Amino acid sequence: MGDIVGGRFELIDVLDGGGSGTVWRAWDHRDRTYVAAKVLRTGDSDSLIRFIREAKRVVQHPHTLAPRNWTGEDDRVLFTMELVRGGSVATLLGDFGALPEGWVIELAGQAADALVAVHAAGFAHRDVKPSNLLLDATGRERPRLRLGDFGTAAAFDAPRLTMANAVLGTPGYLSPEAYRGADPAPAQDLFALGVVMRQMLAGNAPPESRGRDGLVASDELLTLVDEMLADDPTARPGSAYEVLNRLQDLSGAGSLEHGADPTDPVEVFDHVPPLPAEWGETGPFARSASAHPATSPTHNDPDTVVLNREPEPEPTPALPKLVQEHPTRSRPDVPIAAWLLLIAGIVLLALAIALA
Amino acid sequence: MSDNPESPAERNRAEQARLYGAPLVDVVNELTDTFGISRAQLARVLGLSAPMISQLASGNRLKIGNPSAVQRLQRMMQLAPEVRTRRMDAAAALADVESEATGKVLTRTTAALRHDGATNVQDVLRWAASADELAGAADLLATDYPALAEVLRVYGNGRTRDAVEHFRQVSGG
């Protein structure tokens, strides 16, 4: 039997090892359901915890995928959320290349709808990109997009100090002003969404691509994308709400078939692999009742978004080795000590030459 | 049922033979065999999802929609005889295919671009000398040590934006 985190979540297998952390499939022994679980180091989790606390409406929005629970253990925090099965817009672009205009309008509209809620809650998402736009496995039906990964979300009123000297986000999706270190603002998310919309129309173009060459779409949609990609944030649409309205006013809105090839329909597959042998739709197959943790005490209130901050009363087993390994894999940190040494050397050299 | 010649899957396989030279189930099996990789690995190299590969191989889907995946598939089919006859190493051939993989940019991971490095360099220089002194030192060095002079100018009295950009280029971030 696998390790159980927080007296409740049993980690089963790794669904996604990339991005900003390992995502596991886990069994929730209390609610008896499968969830996705993500492990972050305590230091990386503070902003996400603030976000979950303050933006409950966003957490419950139909087009977001934010953690519903978090549980701290040692120096790590486990976040759990609904298990979304359809991959992401990045997967969709890999499978299909450029998407029909009707799909682009639909997906962009759902993302804009999510951003309306995020911005209304006082946050900027700051990492809108194809791999963070997750999808339910809806097959050839109308898709359902979920804006995910709120790990870099920042409150508009967050103290400037905590963000000094660090630009977060993904190259190619960063607005010019965000790249220069501007305070978080809705216009930066609209720029990133504009990049995604252009990519959905272009297929596999790098996010830095600009211009209309090779894009098959109506003039109105291309104009909207151009405006969202304006270097000057004040030249972009005024809000996510405005983007949503303009998308809904387009002639292709509401019709997925618009611009589609009927012989090659877009399809959102189920990307979650089959359960391991010892697991079934209703959870783990028979095992000894004494090991079942469902009766362990909990402070959670089942009717609210649960913020399980207090330590569990019983000692819980350590996370599996794999979980512990990932967060310690260090990011390529800037070798500051090496730079300081180099600069000291340069200064000495300069002085020596100047004095000579 | 899929053996019924009238079934959509069978029709798709025939059409695939016209488009790709063989039904994709044969192409996929041959490539995984030749390169010694799983279907999931083949999907990753092509930039397709695992479910998409199975849908294509089963004939449930006809076409590979993503043109760059088609390009990579064609490149693999070109290299397959080289690998089979051992004129080329499978790993080297895969690296060749992946080097053309433009789809990679879609899955690039979130990076934290830090201004720390550039501003630390600025702090040290400005601690050691005034802006005028740094400009003077840069002038002295310019002829014989132009790169050093550039560093003194960019971090000594240039704009932070330029320093950050310089640092990004130098550190490969």
Side-chain angles (χ1 to χ4, degrees):
Chain A
M1 142 168 209
D3 281 307
I4 293 174
V5 183
R8 176 169 173 187
F9 299 105
E10 184 167 353
L11 303 185
I12 302 170
D13 56 352
V14 172
L15 295 175
D16 180 8
S20 51
T22 304
V23 178
W24 291 74
R25 168 160 48 192
W27 175 253
D28 179 349
H29 278 281
R30 206 197 69 194
D31 289 351
R32 305 200 53 74
T33 178
Y34 289 101
V35 296
K38 184 170 187 170
V39 183
L40 293 179
R41 280 178 298 192
T42 309
D44 294 338
S45 61
D46 296 349
S47 66
L48 188 50
I49 289 170
R50 179 174 175 195
F51 176 80
I52 304 171
R53 276 218 186 106
E54 297 180 9
K56 289 182 184 174
R57 284 216 186 115
V58 174
V59 173
Q60 286 154 359
H61 189 276
H63 293 300
T64 63
L65 180 70
R68 291 175 187 274
N69 297 276
W70 60 274
T71 195
E73 184 163 287
D74 301 332
D75 57 342
R76 283 166 238 287
V77 183
L78 182 90
F79 293 90
T80 58
M81 59 206 109
E82 193 184 330
L83 184 57
V84 170
R85 309 186 67 96
S88 68
V89 169
T91 330
L92 201 64
L93 288 172
D95 277 349
F96 295 96
L99 300 175
E101 179 167 4
W103 276 75
V104 175
I105 294 171
E106 180 67 31
L107 292 172
Q110 294 185 11
D113 194 17
L115 284 177
V116 169
V118 174
H119 296 163
F123 284 81
H125 182 281
R126 297 206 300 172
D127 205 10
V128 174
K129 59 178 175 179
S131 59
N132 282 343
L133 300 175
L134 304 172
L135 299 166
D136 284 351
T138 46
R140 297 180 186 188
E141 305 298 314
R142 179 166 300 278
R144 181 184 177 193
L145 174 148
R146 320 281 298 270
L147 173 63
D149 199 343
F150 287 86
T152 51
F156 300 138
D157 64 355
R160 189 71 183 86
L161 195 63
T162 61
M163 278 167 288
N165 290 335
V167 176
L168 290 165
T170 303
Y173 301 89
L174 273 177
S175 60
E177 74 274 16
Y179 186 78
R180 288 194 296 268
D183 287 332
Q188 295 156 16
D189 286 340
L190 300 187
F191 179 91
L193 180 58
V195 176
V196 176
M197 285 162 68
R198 196 190 175 286
Q199 281 188 300
M200 290 196 286
L201 291 169
N204 293 283
E208 293 82 5
S209 313
R210 294 291 180 271
R212 297 184 173 193
D213 280 359
L215 304 189
V216 183
S218 64
D219 235 29
E220 302 106 291
L221 178 56
L222 292 174
T223 302
L224 176 59
V225 172
D226 284 345
E227 284 176 34
M228 292 169 78
L229 292 174
D231 281 347
D232 175 3
T234 62
R236 292 175 208 146
S239 65
Y241 189 69
E242 186 186 326
V243 172
L244 176 60
N245 276 332
R246 285 180 56 182
L247 285 165
Q248 286 173 340
D249 286 346
L250 293 175
S251 55
S255 157
L256 289 176
E257 293 74 35
H258 186 77
D261 173 0
T263 68
D264 192 29
V266 178
E267 187 170 357
V268 185
F269 302 117
D270 185 341
H271 291 274
V272 176
L275 285 159
E278 61 275 26
W279 293 88
E281 286 310 309
T282 53
F285 292 139
R287 41 163 84 135
S288 81
S290 62
H292 203 286
T295 53
S296 64
T298 172
H299 302 285
N300 295 339
D301 173 356
D303 293 321
T304 58
V305 175
V306 183
L307 300 174
N308 179 14
R309 167 133 245 181
E310 299 188 31
E312 291 297 322
E314 295 170 37
T316 45
L319 295 178
K321 193 81 176 80
L322 263 175
V323 184
Q324 296 186 333
E325 272 170 8
H326 184 80
T328 58
R329 208 172 60 197
S330 63
R331 279 182 285 192
D333 277 333
V334 178
I336 285 171
W339 272 93
L340 293 183
L341 275 177
L342 173 65
I343 291 309
I346 291 171
V347 170
L348 286 177
L349 181 60
L351 289 176
I353 291 171
L355 291 173
Chain B
M1 190 175 100
S2 61
D3 290 322
N4 176 356
E6 298 302 315
S7 78
E10 196 60 29
R11 275 202 304 277
N12 278 346
R13 278 198 283 269
E15 182 65 12
Q16 286 174 350
R18 201 180 62 77
L19 287 169
Y20 305 107
L24 285 174
V25 63
D26 298 340
V27 175
V28 165
N29 288 341
E30 193 194 312
L31 291 178
T32 50
D33 218 43
T34 304
F35 287 84
I37 53 177
S38 66
R39 272 194 186 185
Q41 287 168 313
L42 175 65
R44 215 169 304 134
V45 173
L46 297 178
L48 296 172
S49 70
M52 180 53 118
I53 284 273
S54 359
Q55 292 284 312
L56 291 165
S58 66
N60 282 339
R61 291 197 65 97
L62 166 62
K63 279 191 278 191
I64 304 174
N66 181 354
S68 39
V70 178
Q71 269 174 24
R72 291 192 285 270
L73 182 78
Q74 284 166 345
R75 185 79 187 126
M76 280 187 92
M77 288 163 79
Q78 263 173 16
L79 293 175
E82 305 289 308
V83 174
R84 262 196 309 274
T85 54
R86 297 182 194 275
R87 276 191 303 242
M88 194 172 189
D89 178 51
L94 285 176
D96 179 295
V97 174
E98 285 188 284
S99 69
E100 295 171 31
T102 53
K104 279 266 146 73
V105 292
L106 294 176
T107 53
R108 187 159 57 180
T109 53
T110 302
L113 298 173
R114 294 198 170 271
H115 286 178
D116 301 8
T119 49
N120 279 331
V121 176
Q122 285 178 329
D123 289 348
V124 172
L125 284 178
R126 289 169 187 179
W127 166 83
S130 72
D132 283 350
E133 288 168 331
L134 289 166
D139 288 344
L140 281 175
L141 291 169
T143 321
D144 296 332
Y145 306 98
L148 276 181
E150 163 93 358
V151 166
L152 288 179
R153 272 200 202 95
V154 170
Y155 296 92
N157 44 11
R159 288 176 305 174
T160 297
R161 194 202 336 184
D162 297 330
V164 169
E165 177 59 23
H166 185 277
F167 195 85
R168 191 182 65 77
Q169 285 173 5
V170 172
S171 63

